[in-house]
Amino acid sequence: MHWAWQGLCFALPADWDVTVLEKAYLRADDAAGPRLEIVWRQNTPMAEAALRSRLQRLLPDATFDFSSGPTLHALPGVLAFRFARPPESRSPAGVGLVLDLPNQRSAMLLVHQPHPDGETLRADCTATAALLGSLTVAPAGALQPWQAFGLRLAVPATYALQRFHFQPGHFHLQFNGPARGLLRRPEGIVTFDRLGPASMLLRGRSLQEWAATFHPGLPLDERTRVAHPGPCSARWRACSRWSETQTGNWWRTIWGDPGDDMVLSLWLDDEDTKIMALLARGAPAREEPLLRELCAHYAIVPA
């Protein structure tokens, strides 16, 4: 399964499942236990000596070999290494990487190899090589890709994941833009929701009727309904006239108030079994080209 999380893109072997997912930590297991751990940091790049010291704290019972790690020249700021742990531990060996990511972030990967010898070790090495071969770092461009549990989307590179959950029937991710002005409020917020089964949620109602219950505070009526490009089948836009004036622009610049502009886009995906909802507030709601790109990238992908 393909993943893109916090600027790092990779493909997991078929028998590895993500068992722990947080903003700055991911763990994938197979039947033998933990196989992959990724830790993200928001910081300036650390010196190599500091990285080695941090690794020793993370795996205090391990010995590290920084001269024989995997070779991955295409990735930025790679510190590669191998590690060995006592034979009685669940993961007696493994390889690791430390990568530089855009927007002053770094990622540390630990790939555990729980089987010390034999055919199973060769299978471990094959799976590890496939994982490392799939690693790419998202470029520091206008949009950053995200993909998890079969859901794909993209957000502006400067937007950070604020909250998320993946529950049966409802996936939710919210990204906040950079804090601006004296109020230090985000310049904008983009929220993605994937809900289903659509037939049980709609129960014969239109998307507009359903959206009025899902977003009861939004002005969803024929006055705010607008044309719907791309995959959208329904869209509403509510922008205050004041926000488009010179005074409104001044207020946003000085105070950092994102304003009450919003655009809600809805459509059905996965053979009309899932409802896709994209809500943009603040700056993204005022940028139609960006909205089109966000909708175009937001989709369900095969597992």
Side-chain angles (χ1 to χ4, degrees), residues 143 145-148 150-155 165-166 170-175 190-195 214 230-232 264-270 274-279 290-301:
L143 292 179
W146 291 72
Q147 186 168 331
L151 191 67
R152 184 191 67 204
L153 53 97
V155 297
H165 64 248
F166 293 97
H170 188 190
F171 292 178
H172 171 84
L173 298 99
Q174 176 184 319
F175 297 85
V190 183
T191 303
F192 300 86
D193 289 281
R194 191 231 69 177
L195 305 103
F214 187 65
C232 305
L264 173 64
S265 303
L266 296 175
W267 66 95
L268 298 177
D269 199 350
D270 195 20
K274 303 295 188 300
I275 299 175
M276 311 293 283
L278 193 162
L279 177 62
L290 173 60
L291 284 172
R292 290 175 180 267
E293 284 197 83
L294 296 181
C295 288
H297 284 85
Y298 186 31
I300 295 173
V301 294

Side-chain angles (χ1 to χ4, degrees), residues 4-266:
W5 198 259
Q6 297 287 14
L8 195 61
C9 308
F10 53 95
L12 289 178
D15 58 341
W16 295 18
D17 296 312
V18 172
T19 56
V20 181
L21 183 62
E22 301 170 0
K23 287 184 186 179
Y25 179 76
L26 179 149
R27 196 184 89 189
D29 296 10
D30 69 358
R35 294 302 308 272
L36 170 67
E37 292 182 276
I38 308 178
V39 181
W40 284 269
R41 287 174 58 91
Q42 181 74 44
N43 64 349
T44 54
M46 299 174 63
E48 184 170 321
L51 286 171
R52 296 189 183 199
S53 175
R54 185 161 180 256
L55 284 170
Q56 292 287 0
R57 293 194 301 271
L58 190 64
L59 297 174
D61 61 345
T63 57
F64 295 90
D65 181 359
F66 294 93
S67 63
S68 62
T71 302
L72 297 169
H73 296 298
L75 296 175
V78 173
L79 172 64
F81 55 90
R82 296 185 182 276
F83 62 88
R85 304 174 73 182
E88 64 273 12
S89 66
R90 294 183 66 182
S91 300
V95 298
L97 297 171
V98 179
L99 305 174
D100 290 337
L101 303 179
N103 300 316
Q104 292 189 331
R105 286 178 298 172
S106 62
M108 179 184 298
L109 288 80
L110 298 175
V111 186
H112 301 278
Q113 296 175 327
H115 306 100
D117 51 36
E119 289 294 329
T120 312
L121 174 61
R122 281 190 283 274
D124 282 353
C125 293
T126 300
T128 298
L131 169 67
L132 297 180
S134 72
L135 276 175
T136 59
V137 172
L143 292 179
Q144 183 180 90
W146 291 72
Q147 186 168 331
F149 298 118
L151 191 67
R152 184 191 67 204
L153 53 97
V155 297
T158 56
Y159 277 50
L161 181 63
Q162 183 68 19
R163 59 176 59 93
F164 72 94
H165 64 248
F166 293 97
Q167 299 173 352
H170 188 190
F171 292 178
H172 171 84
L173 298 99
Q174 176 184 319
F175 297 85
N176 286 11
R180 304 292 189 192
L182 298 177
L183 297 178
R184 306 308 297 163
R185 292 181 180 174
E187 68 173 22
I189 298 173
V190 183
T191 303
F192 300 86
D193 289 281
R194 191 231 69 177
L195 305 103
S199 59
M200 294 182 62
L201 294 170
L202 295 176
R203 296 179 181 177
R205 298 176 295 176
S206 67
L207 281 174
Q208 178 173 340
E209 292 170 326
W210 171 84
T213 61
F214 187 65
H215 289 294
L218 299 183
L220 307 180
D221 53 41
E222 293 306 317
R223 294 173 300 171
T224 58
R225 190 158 181 165
V226 294
H228 40 82
C232 305
S233 55
R235 172 179 278 193
W236 294 266
R237 177 187 294 274
C239 299
S240 64
R241 294 181 179 179
W242 175 82
S243 71
E244 299 299 327
T245 65
Q246 185 174 357
T247 302
N249 290 330
W250 173 85
W251 183 270
R252 284 198 301 269
T253 301
I254 300 299
W255 290 100
D257 187 344
D260 55 1
D261 305 322
M262 76 88 192
V263 174
L264 173 64
S265 303
L266 296 175

